[in-house]
Amino acid sequence: EELGAGQGETTPNVEATSWTYDRSRDEMRDGETVTACTISVDQVHLDFPYKNQNTRLCIRKSPKWGLDAYVRLTEGGQYNCNSYDGCTVHVRFDAKSASAFTGGTASDGSNDILFFRNASRFVENAKTSKRLIVEAEFYQAGVQQMTFNSAGLEWPPK
């Protein structure tokens, strides 16, 4: 058996889907919230009191908020992005050039979540990609990249 280039390297299997789906009922609006989430294949490095951690990329459609795409820190920490002016987040889908998105924090001011302001453009690109990289700035931890296995995203889910 010939292993060829990349011998000994471990790369994520981009053919297998890593998305998990969830549905919940919104009784107030008599509708359903649907989410699709995946965990980063790498970690961001944050200083004490936070930990180095994977991040979570989610797409959500809800009767209250509409369509959203966001990245969330799984064990605490803060993105360096304010809710008033927003911030620039770069995203690279597969081998395409990086695209700039405007990011923003949650309406409640939480800084451990970063929303992409043009969710529909993000979702359309994510649906056809196998791998995507998000580059964002973290509070007192600089600009870092988060890599996700985006293959197999079914949106909207059946």
Side-chain angles (χ1 to χ4, degrees):
E1 179 179 300
E2 224 175 86
L3 294 176
Q7 185 171 352
E9 293 178 13
T10 58
T11 55
N13 177 1
V14 294
E15 298 308 316
T17 186
S18 60
W19 293 93
T20 57
Y21 298 87
D22 185 57
R23 296 176 183 274
S24 60
R25 189 94 186 126
D26 181 338
E27 296 295 333
M28 180 66 71
R29 289 158 195 84
D30 197 27
E32 183 177 61
T33 297
V34 181
T35 58
C37 296
T38 188
I39 300 289
S40 63
V41 298
D42 52 6
Q43 292 190 330
V44 292
H45 303 282
L46 305 178
D47 291 334
F48 181 82
Y50 306 114
K51 300 176 181 177
N52 293 346
Q53 60 191 281
N54 294 86
T55 55
R56 184 177 190 86
L57 168 67
C58 295
I59 297 167
R60 173 183 72 188
K61 180 148 176 107
S62 74
K64 181 176 183 178
W65 303 108
L67 179 66
D68 289 308
Y70 57 88
V71 285
R72 177 170 232 147
L73 293 163
T74 57
E75 299 184 52
Q78 298 177 50
Y79 290 99
N80 196 21
C81 187
N82 69 52
S83 56
Y84 306 108
D85 303 329
C87 57
T88 300
V89 180
H90 291 97
V91 182
R92 184 169 186 187
F93 299 94
D94 293 328
K96 295 178 185 172
S97 297
S99 300
F101 282 82
T102 300
T105 53
S107 61
D108 69 0
S110 299
N111 288 332
D112 66 341
I113 188 167
L114 182 65
F115 285 90
F116 297 96
R117 294 249 169 101
N118 191 335
S120 57
R121 179 168 65 106
F122 183 92
V123 171
E124 287 310 306
N125 281 284
K127 281 168 55 171
T128 59
S129 72
K130 291 187 173 164
R131 179 175 175 256
L132 66 87
I133 303 168
V134 176
E135 184 179 74
E137 187 174 350
F138 295 84
Y139 178 70
Q140 295 184 338
V143 174
Q144 297 187 47
Q145 296 176 355
M146 301 159 274
T147 304
F148 298 91
N149 170 5
S150 54
L153 172 63
E154 183 181 300
W155 194 264
K158 292 177 183 155

